[in-house]
Amino acid sequence: VPMSAVPVYSGNPFSEENLRDSKPLYKELRDLGRLVWVPELDLYVAARFEDVQKGLRSPKVLISSNGVVANPAVNTMSAVQASTILSDGQDHLRFKKVLSAPLMPKPIEGLRGRLTEMIDEKVAQLVNAEPFDAMREIASLLPIGVVAEMIGLRGFTADQMLFWSDAMFDGFAPPSARNEEKTQTANVEFFKFLMSQNRDNLVPGSLGSKLFEAVDAGELVEQEALGLLGDYIVPSLDTTILSTGEMLYRLAVTPGAWDAYVANPDLAPKIILEAVRMASVIRGFTRYAAEDYPVGDFVVPKGARVWLINAAANLDERKYPDPDDFKVDRDPRDQLAWGHGVHLCVGKHLAQLEMETILGSLLRKVERLEVVGEPTPLINSGIQGFENLQMRLHAKA
Ligand code: HEM
């Protein structure tokens, strides 16, 4: 079948309207076919579960080291610094081993007590209070209070991390009036920041200092350790914050969901997975086709770029019945919000632990969660979720 047979999406998937409410776009892309061509962006798109999963399982053909976004200027900068997310093959394995070791379930278990203490104190302040923004007060608390600190940078605030990651995620799409300036500023500043770091500025025992221990062990060179610091900074905060916001929202608005959890707290891991699936905070990364890559009867030609939309795949009715319904017992273990295959997220255990301690704290103190008004959506090319979510927590009698 010639390339021209690939169905075409003639709009801009990153238009403000599409970013504000992406579900109709995702459905249109899934229904157009297994592969879709977007001429405006010179980009192929896969949006169905089966094809996104297959794409993520094909890292030898669909490679990451030529960039993983849909913004050519940003992709060109990709090779400048070492990054797990932007590497392939042996380098990727080597980086990933170092980066993921301190974030496995066992090493992070020691955080549980401190996380629980922090969130318990916050929930105690919030129950029966006036409506508050749950994104700020609850969802951000642990990522900002603990995760930012775990990285171990001195003289550096979580607010800076949040500005950079928001801007860098928004740089996922080609330049527009909204993202151009902030993306460029953030990329330049961030690179300068990373390169200005050194082992003496890192708190001993922190994630950052462990990268330099890997240098001493001969597993990385110094420049690589500096680059990999960025892998802890950019994807660690908004992702967890926005997934937590979705979880709070769904538990509040889905009839029976909170009661089912109260009746059976063992549902917590399933509730977290279901919230992570529905949130699908990172819309999806692109890959560069190092060879022709077939998708059904179509082909992504060698040298082209394809966007694998994890967020659209996670709402695919061909995979999940009633995909827009929050089902506390769905247990979507194969959902793609954390990626899949060799680039599977290294922070998923940490994110799960944070969400678990929040669920536990709410269970102890709260009778019912209430959403007040409508949440405000975040407008960002790379990530999705709520910018603001007004809630009230009703205390247990
Ligand atoms: C709910 C929270 C999170 C979500 C939804 C999420 C999502 C993702 C996704 C979709 C990928 C796949 C990248 C790809 O296919 O190219 C990924 C990879 C990654 N994530 Fe996360 N993430 C989360 C939390 C975290 C945290 C807390 C950290 C760090 C502490 C982190 C660090 C990373 C890194 C370093 C990679 C690259 C792994 C690789 O390329 O092999 N993430 N994440």
Side-chain angles (χ1 to χ4, degrees), residues 71 74 167-168 170-171 179-188:
N71 180 343
V74 172
M168 287 166 91
D170 210 6
N179 72 357
E180 182 163 19
E181 206 183 310
K182 75 176 184 186
T183 298
Q184 211 158 22
T185 308
N187 275 306
V188 171

Side-chain angles (χ1 to χ4, degrees), residues 134-147:
M135 301 311 294
R136 254 182 91 97
E137 299 293 333
I138 303 181
S140 305
L141 183 77
L142 304 178
I144 289 180
V146 176
V147 178

Side-chain angles (χ1 to χ4, degrees), residues 56 84-85 92 96 99 103 231-232 235-236 239-240 243 276 281-282 285 287 310 336-339 342-347 350-351:
L56 295 171
T84 311
I85 210 162
H92 174 255
K96 186 139 192 181
L99 207 71
L103 292 176
D231 279 351
Y232 286 136
S236 60
T239 51
T240 315
S243 302
V276 167
V281 170
I282 296 185
F285 289 102
R287 300 289 193 255
N310 307 38
L336 302 172
W338 278 308
V342 296
H343 285 280
L344 182 69
C345 179
V346 306
L350 179 58

Side-chain angles (χ1 to χ4, degrees), residues 112-127 138 141-142 356-366 393:
R112 187 184 293 270
R114 181 151 170 245
L115 295 174
T116 304
E117 219 171 274
M118 276 180 85
I119 189 70
D120 275 353
E121 189 187 329
K122 180 56 102 174
V123 170
Q125 287 166 11
L126 292 173
V127 283
I138 303 181
L141 183 77
L142 304 178
E356 216 177 285
T357 54
I358 293 170
L359 279 181
S361 185
L362 293 174
L363 183 68
R364 286 188 290 281
K365 302 239 170 51
V366 170
L393 300 181

Side-chain angles (χ1 to χ4, degrees), residues 244-255:
T244 303
E246 182 83 18
M247 180 175 80
L248 298 171
Y249 176 78
R250 292 294 163 190
L251 283 173
V253 304
T254 311

Side-chain angles (χ1 to χ4, degrees), residues 224-237:
E224 289 170 341
L226 292 175
L228 296 190
L229 258 183
D231 279 351
Y232 286 136
I233 296 175
V234 178
S236 60
L237 301 186

